[in-house]
Amino acid sequence: MSEEADQAVSDPMLERIPVSVLTGFLGSGKTTVLNALLKHPDMGQTAVVINEFGEVGIDNLLVETASEDMVVMDSGCLCCTIRGDLVETLRGLIRRRWRSEIPAFERLVIETTGLADPAPILHTLMTDPVISARYRLDGVIATVDAAAGEATMDAQPEAVKQAAVADRILLTKTDIVPHNADLIDRLGRINPAAPVLPVVQGKVDPASLFGTGLYDPATKSPDVARWLAEESYAEAHHHDHDHAHHHDTNRHDDRIRSFVIRHEAPIAWDKFVEWIEALISTHGANLLRMKGILNVQEAQGPVAVHGVQHVFHPPAMLEDWPDGDDRISRLVIIARDLNHAPVEKMFKAFVEG
């Protein structure tokens, strides 16, 4: 067993570090946002992993060099470049933190490349045994250009996917285009639960970006309603039926669907797993993101599940139901080329069979 994994076993009370993934297509202002974040005093206990120092304007922010691939900013933020692969970089950060060779950061931000699909990074956080013992996914932040965002999403399906899996969407360059109602409406259809936050010259309050995961950072307890935001999907569903779409039906985002599956009776865990495995085997690449809380027959309390494409977090056993006597299972799904009715029919066939 590795040194990091061994410590994870011997120190089970050590809280896992929340990770935010910052994504966005080329030219969307992602690096400008990151530069502004690095200067913010609230980033003092944050480590940021980037691809190249040269892409981020850190020269006037540098306090000290911890190593050739790591610098400490005047805000106290730790900035680290990826050496080799991401897994080794994240393991190395934990190793150095444990040995007190670097500041004891309490949050991690990973910046993706402009062409990157964020899913592989999310898969790494979920599947690597050492990393998943030390880190937990807090959320995905996507930057979208207010001026060029629509044209980019028309041409680039990955830009649509970045917005679809995000927990927060930053609408950049709003000093150039103060209010792009069509783009905001489009983003709301792609991902109804992600707030769209306007950004000028990259400036954004870190408090509005972090703490989007299952656990409320203030109370350290589960906040299922905030995490699922299932009412957002219901509102979007009604909006789609009440308003005609005035756009090209061949656009990439017209293939994106978001919906909620609800089930009142308790579910046998093995039946749910069989359904998930069947869904992944037939539609794994198109299952962009899933969040849910389940009433499982074998569990004393609710079970939270979270997946990205074909990879799922280990289920989280929660102590109490968030709404008292309301023990209805709810699954929020964002998918491509998958409609609500057949997915729900397949779900009921497995769990009720």
Side-chain angles (χ1 to χ4, degrees):
M1 183 178 291
S2 70
E3 183 179 35
E4 302 101 309
D6 187 45
Q7 199 215 359
V9 172
S10 62
D11 189 8
M13 297 303 293
L14 184 63
E15 184 177 354
R16 293 184 298 161
I17 295 169
V19 181
S20 298
V21 177
L22 176 61
T23 188
F25 211 76
L26 287 169
S28 65
K30 176 163 47 68
T31 302
T32 303
V33 167
L34 184 58
N35 277 327
L37 283 174
L38 291 174
K39 300 174 185 177
H40 200 287
D42 289 352
M43 295 289 286
Q45 292 183 304
T46 303
V48 177
V49 172
I50 60 177
N51 286 287
E52 295 289 343
F53 279 145
E55 298 174 0
V56 179
I58 64 174
D59 292 344
N60 62 333
L61 302 174
L62 181 61
V63 172
E64 63 177 299
T65 300
S67 67
E68 63 180 10
D69 63 333
M70 189 177 298
V71 295
V72 180
M73 322 304 286
D74 61 4
S75 64
C77 183
L78 182 73
C79 205
C80 175
T81 59
I82 297 175
R83 300 191 69 185
D85 63 11
L86 180 63
V87 170
E88 182 52 39
T89 298
L90 297 187
R91 288 186 177 191
L93 280 172
I94 283 295
R95 191 182 302 117
R96 294 183 188 185
R97 181 181 184 270
W98 178 40
R99 294 172 178 168
S100 301
E101 296 174 357
I102 58 175
F105 59 93
E106 301 300 328
R107 181 192 301 122
L108 178 70
V109 176
I110 302 173
E111 183 199 23
T112 71
T113 64
L115 295 173
D117 176 354
I121 293 177
L122 306 183
H123 294 171
T124 296
L125 295 171
M126 294 179 187
T127 59
D128 183 274
V130 173
I131 289 174
S132 62
R134 288 305 194 185
Y135 299 98
R136 62 173 173 82
L137 176 64
D138 180 58
V140 179
I141 304 159
T143 53
V144 176
D145 186 332
E150 289 196 274
T152 300
M153 288 192 290
D154 285 344
Q156 304 290 345
E158 290 307 327
V160 177
K161 186 174 181 180
Q162 289 169 349
V165 302
D167 296 283
R168 297 286 185 270
I169 297 174
L170 302 184
L171 195 61
T172 63
K173 306 180 186 179
T174 52
D175 50 333
I176 300 173
V177 181
H179 186 69
N180 189 334
D182 289 341
L183 177 57
I184 292 172
D185 183 63
R186 183 173 180 176
L187 293 170
R189 290 194 302 270
I190 294 171
N191 189 342
V196 179
L197 308 176
V199 175
V200 176
Q201 296 179 350
K203 295 180 180 178
V204 60
D205 184 359
S208 66
L209 304 182
F210 306 129
T212 64
L214 175 61
Y215 293 94
D216 187 326
T219 63
K220 306 295 184 182
S221 59
D223 188 345
V224 174
R226 174 185 60 85
W227 181 58
L228 285 182
E230 60 180 304
E231 70 284 349
S232 302
Y233 299 91
E235 291 169 5
H237 180 74
H238 291 306
H239 175 83
D240 284 350
H241 282 79
D242 295 342
H243 297 81
H245 288 175
H246 302 289
H247 59 257
D248 179 3
T249 56
N250 293 317
R251 292 196 314 192
H252 300 297
D253 43 306
D254 287 301
R255 300 170 59 191
I256 303 291
R257 301 286 185 273
S258 56
F259 50 87
V260 180
I261 294 176
R262 297 167 65 88
H263 191 74
E264 295 191 8
I267 299 169
W269 179 250
D270 61 342
K271 297 290 187 182
F272 175 77
V273 171
E274 288 174 3
W275 171 69
I276 281 290
E277 290 177 346
L279 188 65
I280 289 172
S281 68
T282 52
H283 302 291
N286 290 329
L287 188 64
L288 301 183
R289 199 160 183 189
M290 177 187 291
K291 300 178 182 179
I293 181 170
L294 303 176
N295 183 353
V296 175
Q297 293 175 0
E298 300 89 340
Q300 296 296 318
V303 177
V305 293
H306 181 207
V308 177
Q309 290 188 332
H310 61 280
V311 176
F312 273 72
H313 268 299
M317 309 297 178
L318 309 182
E319 291 186 4
D320 299 305
W321 284 87
D323 302 317
D325 294 333
D326 181 2
R327 302 195 172 192
I328 297 174
S329 296
R330 281 106 69 192
L331 287 170
V332 169
I333 297 173
I334 300 177
R336 179 175 52 207
D337 297 331
L338 286 178
N339 291 322
H340 184 175
V343 174
E344 184 164 24
K345 182 179 180 180
M346 180 183 177
F347 173 82
K348 290 188 175 181
F350 273 85
V351 301
E352 296 177 357

